[in-house]
């Protein structure tokens, strides 16, 4: 990556920082104002990035010059907004500090700054809070929070920061090597660059055009700004950081103090699936981040009317979720229902207290709901329009609509599907436990008259059960975080006052949304061995309840055992043990996880860039090089592709790139798009093949020379 590419890649990050300054709420009324500003900035930047791709794609201008111009304009606007906000703040005199007063048990104090409320015991007097207008700003808030934190809180914060920094190191050192990314995530980016637009193309891999492309839109920006894929892993890393910030804010919104927020962030950060995906070009963390943003905005609307700016942000979060991964809407839907009901309740309460003067509150709620949907449609609508025009259905061809969604919805089938998903999500290295659980589920399915391998409730040709405990980014289980989340949901539903007496209503409502999300997921998405990553958004949504429950457990027992130094609490020891085990799981995932790790075979420090790309299939690395070298030496310019639905295409875009860095002319000789016929084999200068030699041989013109190894082959005409 060139120096110019590095500078251009910094422009989006600088824009987010400036927008965070520009959109930070005034005053101290908002919970976690700095994190709310980050949410606003992320949504605004994400929506802008998607719309830039759509607009420039429609203009056939997906090129570096156009994207550079778009980002420099965005940076200028963000800088202007931040400057105006700073000048307005400077002209406002800070309010006089109020005299400290006692805070009752369970109330929120701001000794750690307005962004990190903490719980105080009865009779304690909190330190004077810094306001948003404090000249010292967020840095002083962070310093104050660290100074007033206890040892446990410092350990939690240090662990989270350490995990995030190690993930950043791996993300920067490792080449993109996710399996799906080699097949369709990254090839679609290269097709856009080569075409200069978003039109669909003939392909044998339908997922290149049918799967929502929101995360790949973000990758396209980095690809054009930097000229390569060196920073591609940072999209998911940034999404992971955003998830941590937002779940901590959700915890605060539900009444959690600083320790509860740190516990929430720690549980999520140490979850192996999160740690591994944060260094990947997969898309699940991006989806989870947009869902979490929607959740925190919805919670803001439970007790106060939602302003127009927040309505626009909710629309952006909904649209970004839809354009990234439609399964995320399974969570966004219940969240918006909760928001609508809360807004109607507030409108009716205003009407009953103020009479006809406030009667327009219901109409405003309805209008706000329409605005959210309109904004979402602006974000995701262009992609859905292209899919509908191509396949006659907004969800794509029948092949896609039938492969992942459940085809049976009778209670027995849904229950069996839910049990299988739970079995895979809670898998552990204990093989006897796995076998016993699977046998119980299979036996129960037989009793209910459901085939546990039924294709109508099972993805593809996969067979349940499948081990999922190994730290692999595509399938690793999350038994610790999942168990804590389930307990948190159960307590919030049954006994929310045990967590926070003052937040019983919001806690129960939020737990209902989480439970509804999980139930809807199990009723709508088929079981598959890789299903754990598909439900990651629901885990992110549920983790705040785990942090709140853990904090309540520790708080209650601290009161019960105060003054008894020799006595050890079983609950406290159990909680610390669980947290230590969770930390160990996160560290092991980063150290030995697959396909990116710190130590051992395949380490990012000792493995070459090219071999890193092929850690999933090391035997293919030399084969791709061998075939590409022969094709390059032949002088071929127009190259035909022969491949199957799950074959790797991305290596060809790297190996056959033009000497000046331009995209190769790769055309498909097969197509699953009825309206996009494949290229004529006679029109190409060479053919490269993956997967099947017989399939390749059928498309090689007579007289051409075909060479094929185990997985990769090529064909050249006579004389080349």
């Amino acid at each position: 990556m060139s120096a110019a590419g590095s500078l251009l890649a910094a422009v989006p990050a600088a824009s987010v920082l400036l927008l965070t300054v520009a959109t930070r709420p005034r005053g101290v009324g908002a919970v976690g104002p700095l994190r709310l500003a980050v949410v606003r900035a992320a949504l605004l930047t994400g929506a802008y990035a998607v719309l830039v791709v759509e607009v420039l794609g429609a203009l056939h201008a997906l090129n570096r010059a156009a994207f550079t111009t778009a980002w420099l304009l965005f940076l200028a606007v963000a800088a202007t907004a931040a400057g105006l906000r700073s000048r307005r703040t400077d002209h406002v005199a800070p309010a006089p500090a109020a005299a400290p007063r006692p805070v009752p048990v369970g109330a929120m104090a701001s000794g750690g700054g307005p962004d990190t409320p903490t719980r105080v015991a009865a009779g304690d007097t909190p330190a004077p809070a810094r306001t948003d207008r404090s000249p010292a700003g967020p840095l002083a808030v962070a310093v104050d929070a660290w100074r007033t934190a206890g040892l446990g809180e410092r350990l939690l914060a240090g662990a989270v920061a350490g995990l995030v920094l190690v993930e950043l190191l791996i993300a920067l050192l490792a080449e993109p090597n996710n399996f799906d990314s080699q097949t369709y995530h990254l090839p679609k980016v290269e097709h856009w660059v080569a075409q200069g637009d978003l039109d669909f193309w003939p392909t044998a891999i339908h997922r290149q055009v049918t799967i929502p492309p929101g995360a790949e839109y973000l990758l396209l920006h980095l690809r054009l700004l930097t000229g390569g894929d060196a920073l591609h892993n940072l999209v998911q890393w940034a999404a992971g950081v955003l998830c941590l910030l937002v779940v901590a804010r959700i915890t605060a919104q539900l009444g959690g103090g600083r320790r509860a927020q740190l516990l929430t962030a720690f549980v999520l950060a140490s979850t192996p699936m999160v740690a591994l995906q944060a260094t990947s070009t997969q898309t699940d963390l991006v989806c989870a981040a947009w869902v979490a943003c929607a959740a925190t905005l919805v919670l803001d609307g439970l007790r106060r009317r939602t302003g127009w700016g927040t309505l626009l942000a909710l629309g952006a979060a909904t649209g970004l979720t839809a354009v990234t991964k439609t399964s995320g809407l399974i969570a966004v839907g219940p969240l918006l229902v909760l928001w609508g009901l809360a807004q109607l309740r507030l409108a009716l309460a205003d009407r009953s207290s103020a009479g006809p003067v406030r009667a327009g509150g219901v109409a405003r709620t309805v209008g706000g709901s329409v605005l959210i949907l309109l904004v979402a449609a602006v974000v995701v609508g262009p992609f859905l329009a292209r899919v509908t025009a191509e396949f006659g259905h907004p969800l794509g061809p029948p092949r896609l609509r039938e492969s992942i969604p459940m085809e049976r919805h009778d209670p027995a089938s849904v229950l069996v599907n839910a049990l299988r998903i739970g079995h895979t999500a809670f898998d552990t290295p204990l093989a006897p436990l796995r076998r016993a659980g699977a046998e119980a589920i299979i036996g129960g399915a037989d009793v209910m008259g459901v085939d546990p391998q039924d294709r109508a409730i099972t993805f593809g040709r996969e067979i349940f059960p499948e081990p999922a405990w190994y730290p692999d980014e595509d399938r690793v289980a999350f038994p610790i975080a999942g168990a804590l989340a389930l307990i948190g949901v159960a307590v919030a539903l049954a006994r929310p006052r045990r967590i926070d007496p003052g937040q019983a209503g919001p806690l129960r409502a939020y737990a209902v949304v989480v439970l509804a999300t999980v139930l809807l997921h199990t009723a709508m998405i088929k079981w598959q061995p890789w299903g754990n990553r598909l439900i990651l958004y629901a885990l992110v949504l549920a983790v705040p309840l785990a942090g709140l429950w853990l904090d309540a457990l520790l708080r209650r027992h601290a009161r019960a055992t105060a003054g008894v130094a020799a006595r050890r609490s079983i609950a406290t020891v159990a909680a610390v043990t669980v947290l230590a085990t969770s930390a160990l799981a996160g560290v092991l995932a980063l150290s030995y996880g697959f396909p990116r790790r710190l130590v051992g075979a395949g380490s990012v420090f000792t493995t070459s860039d090219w071999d890193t790309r092929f850690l999933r299939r090391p035997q293919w690395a030399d084969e791709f090089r061998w075939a590409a070298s022969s094709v390059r030496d032949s002088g071929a310019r127009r190259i035909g592709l022969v491949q199957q639905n799950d074959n790797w295409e991305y290596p060809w875009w790297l190996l056959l790139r033009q000497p000046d860095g331009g995209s190769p002319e790769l055309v498909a000789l097969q197509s699953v798009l009825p309206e996009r016929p494949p290229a004529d084999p006679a029109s190409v200068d060479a053919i490269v093949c993956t997967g099947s030699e017989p399939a390749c041989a059928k498309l090689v013109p007579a007289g051409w020379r075909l060479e094929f190894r185990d997985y990769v082959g090529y064909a050249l005409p006579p004389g080349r």
Side-chain angles (χ1 to χ4, degrees), residues 271-273 419-438 441 464-472 475-483 486 527-529 532 581 585:
T271 300
M273 176 67 76
L419 291 173
R420 294 182 306 165
I421 290 174
H423 181 274
T424 304
F426 288 88
D427 191 23
T428 70
L430 302 175
L433 182 62
R434 182 188 313 118
R435 286 195 299 269
I441 293 172
F464 173 83
E466 187 74 24
W469 65 269
Y470 185 79
D472 182 308
R475 66 175 65 199
V476 62
F478 35 80
I480 297 176
L486 280 183
W527 174 88
Q528 56 180 281
N532 289 340
T581 305

Side-chain angles (χ1 to χ4, degrees), residues 98-234:
R101 57 189 178 85
V103 179
V105 175
M108 305 303 295
S110 298
D115 201 40
T116 53
T118 58
R119 292 193 174 277
V120 293
D124 286 353
T125 301
R130 292 185 181 273
T131 71
D132 279 355
R133 297 168 180 161
S134 168
L139 181 59
V141 169
V143 172
D144 285 351
W146 182 262
R147 187 170 57 246
T148 59
L151 176 61
E153 293 177 349
R154 293 186 180 187
L155 289 175
L156 290 171
V160 172
L163 289 168
V164 168
L165 291 176
V166 173
E167 290 162 6
L168 176 60
L169 176 66
I170 296 175
L172 290 172
L173 291 178
E175 304 298 318
N177 61 1
N178 172 261
F179 194 103
D180 285 348
S181 296
Q182 305 276 17
T183 301
Y184 68 96
H185 290 310
L186 301 186
K188 73 169 67 173
V189 174
E190 297 301 325
H191 277 287
W192 294 331
V193 174
Q195 296 177 171
D197 58 41
L198 299 173
D199 289 346
F200 291 162
W201 53 90
T203 178
I205 304 173
H206 76 86
R207 291 175 294 173
Q208 291 183 358
V209 297
T210 56
I211 299 293
E216 291 89 338
Y217 281 174
L218 304 181
L219 293 176
L220 176 62
H221 286 270
L222 288 178
R223 168 66 175 85
L224 287 172
L225 293 176
T226 67
D229 61 10
L231 300 182
H232 278 9
N233 292 331
L234 293 186

Side-chain angles (χ1 to χ4, degrees), residues 124 208 214 244 357 590 594 632 658:
D124 286 353
Q208 291 183 358
L244 294 177
V357 178
L590 291 176
F594 195 72
R632 284 198 312 269
Q658 301 297 329

Side-chain angles (χ1 to χ4, degrees), residues 281-347:
T281 46
Q282 196 52 274
T283 62
D284 303 286
L285 270 180
V286 178
C287 174
W290 301 137
V291 171
C293 287
T296 194
L297 294 174
V298 164
L299 287 176
D300 277 340
L302 295 189
R303 289 179 173 171
R304 64 173 182 267
R305 300 305 305 275
T306 300
W308 295 111
T310 302
L311 290 173
L312 293 174
L314 271 172
T318 303
L320 288 169
T321 301
V323 81
T324 300
K325 216 174 186 71
T326 50
S327 57
L329 294 177
I330 295 173
V332 174
L335 284 167
L336 292 180
V337 170
L338 174 63
W339 171 85
L341 293 175
Q343 291 294 294
L344 285 174
R345 178 181 58 81
L346 291 171

Side-chain angles (χ1 to χ4, degrees), residues 422-493:
H423 181 274
T424 304
F426 288 88
D427 191 23
T428 70
L430 302 175
L433 182 62
R434 182 188 313 118
R435 286 195 299 269
E439 290 171 359
I441 293 172
I442 292 172
D446 291 338
V447 171
M448 290 184 283
V450 177
D451 178 3
Q453 316 303 345
D454 184 356
R455 297 305 101 188
I457 62 173
T458 304
F459 177 82
R461 300 178 181 178
E462 305 303 323
I463 302 296
F464 173 83
E466 187 74 24
W469 65 269
Y470 185 79
D472 182 308
E473 66 174 354
D474 286 336
R475 66 175 65 199
V476 62
F478 35 80
I480 297 176
L484 292 174
L486 280 183
I487 295 172
V489 170
V491 174
L493 286 172

